[in-house]
Amino acid sequence: MATTSEQLPLKGKRVKAPTGSAAWKRRRGVLFALLATLCWSSTGIFIDALYTNYALTPVEISAWRAIFVAPAVGLWLAWRHPGGLRLSRKEAPFYFWYGLIGIALFNLVWSVSVEINKAAVATTLIFSAPVFVALGARLLWGDRVRLTQAGAIVINLLGCALVAGVYNPAALLNSPLGMLVGLASGMSFAASTLFGKAAARAGKRNSASIIFYTFAFAALCLVLFGLATEGGRLFLLPLDGVGWLLLATLSLGPTLAGYAFFNLSLQYLPAGVVSLLNTLEPPITALIALLLLGRVMNGWQWLGTGLIIGGVLIMQTATFGRSHSATKID
């Protein structure tokens, strides 16, 4: 089993790139990132039903998502790749912090942000993540943020604000606590991206093994927190058969599939590009709401959709429109 130093690449360390042409790898990475975004865009439908019809709390939903995902992936690994279940003591701290910050904390802070800021502002603030990803990648791996890439990030933030329905910048500053919580959700999502990229750069574990340990540690942390804050109610959910089906589908459908595609995309694309592609979630969510719920977007929201897509295209051009080393992923 590899040691932590092998699992966590140092700044500037080069790793062997996936086989195949650079263009093929790029297209595959973009496809995985878009599939992850599409999966995550559908989670709101299930979460809204669980909130509205069964009054589940953010802690309950977050904990049970992890409780469903970890054993399911663990059983699959035991059947197909039993070696992926082995974890050395030196690796454990990395995956503990990945699960705690990137999964457990992110889900909790995001839910609190929605409660304080409401969905529109919370959605805008969480997609501050590309800024934190760019800063983190610069500190960890020396990635440079070019002017065009910075411009793409700004355009995406503006687009997210318009799609979410935040037309007045003062709405983002209405509550100092809400602003801090919202930015914390963006930072924790950025941390998840950077942790995932570190694991992908190491190249020692497949996506299923990474998901298993991150969700296993996340489940442990969320269950302990849930028992401390909610007691036995955490395991006595007021759900009928339909409610349990909704919770299981949310966990084993968009949640599991989203993280699987997300981790795969990080094997082929820089963290900053994946983070920008994830900002397509608001317009995709809006389109899903239009098709399934009949909620029509207004002109500002369509403009925001165009800005988000434009920002993604600018980032793609700025990142891949120049020569790359054939052996460096980031």
Side-chain angles (χ1 to χ4, degrees):
M1 177 55 65
T3 63
T4 302
S5 61
E6 292 172 316
Q7 290 288 336
L8 305 181
L10 300 176
K11 180 177 178 180
K13 181 179 178 181
R14 293 172 181 267
V15 296
K16 185 177 180 181
T19 58
S21 68
W24 177 84
K25 289 182 291 184
R26 183 165 67 248
R27 288 194 295 269
R28 191 171 186 179
V30 170
L31 175 61
F32 286 142
L34 292 177
L35 287 173
T37 303
L38 179 62
C39 290
W40 286 335
S41 298
S42 64
T43 60
I45 297 173
F46 295 95
I47 292 175
D48 181 67
L50 291 168
Y51 280 152
T52 304
N53 299 330
Y54 300 98
L56 295 191
T57 67
V59 174
E60 292 164 352
I61 294 177
S62 299
W64 276 94
R65 288 170 77 178
I67 289 171
F68 272 113
V69 169
V73 179
L75 289 173
W76 188 87
L77 281 172
W79 175 45
R80 297 298 301 271
H81 300 283
L85 292 172
R86 293 193 294 269
L87 185 71
S88 70
R89 291 183 179 180
K90 293 183 178 180
E91 290 179 90
F94 171 77
Y95 285 99
F96 170 79
W97 289 111
Y98 188 174
L100 175 62
I101 299 174
I103 305 296
L105 182 63
F106 164 63
N107 278 289
L108 286 177
V109 174
W110 160 244
S111 298
V112 173
S113 180
V114 171
E115 184 177 355
I116 296 177
N117 297 310
K118 306 309 176 187
V121 176
T123 301
T124 302
L125 290 174
I126 196 176
F127 285 107
S128 62
V131 177
F132 298 116
V133 169
L135 293 174
R138 173 64 177 172
L139 293 173
L140 292 172
W141 303 301
D143 290 0
R144 289 185 295 171
V145 180
R146 289 167 171 76
L147 182 60
T148 50
Q149 292 173 315
I153 291 173
V154 172
I155 291 172
N156 274 69
L157 291 175
L158 177 59
C160 288
L162 293 177
V163 172
V166 181
Y167 313 120
N168 179 10
L172 294 174
L173 300 172
N174 188 44
S175 167
L177 177 60
M179 170 66 80
L180 291 175
V181 172
L183 290 176
S185 69
M187 292 179 67
S188 58
F189 185 64
S192 179
T193 302
L194 294 171
F195 272 117
K197 188 60 184 180
R201 284 169 68 96
K204 300 295 183 180
R205 288 187 174 275
N206 61 27
S207 179
S209 180
I210 293 170
I211 291 173
F212 170 69
Y213 277 109
T214 54
F215 272 88
F217 282 120
L220 175 63
C221 296
L222 287 166
V223 166
L224 292 176
F225 182 77
L227 289 174
T229 57
E230 301 194 8
R233 173 186 161 86
L234 182 67
F235 293 104
L236 298 173
L237 301 184
L239 297 177
D240 54 18
V242 175
W244 281 111
L245 180 61
L246 284 172
L247 186 54
T249 303
L250 166 65
S251 305
L252 302 179
T255 298
L256 177 54
Y259 277 99
F261 288 128
F262 174 70
N263 285 328
L264 287 171
S265 71
L266 289 169
Q267 296 179 17
Y268 298 94
L269 296 176
V273 174
V274 173
S275 184
L276 259 292
L277 288 169
N278 292 151
T279 62
L280 289 169
E281 183 175 338
I284 292 176
T285 300
L287 289 174
I288 291 175
L290 172 64
L291 295 174
L292 298 183
L293 305 177
R295 297 175 182 172
V296 180
M297 293 195 299
N298 59 36
W300 287 109
Q301 290 173 310
W302 282 114
L303 175 60
T305 299
L307 289 174
I308 292 172
I309 295 173
V312 169
L313 292 176
I314 291 172
M315 174 63 90
Q316 290 272 67
T317 302
T319 303
F320 299 119
R322 51 189 171 82
S323 60
H324 287 280
S325 167
T327 59
K328 192 173 183 182
I329 295 178
D330 255 338

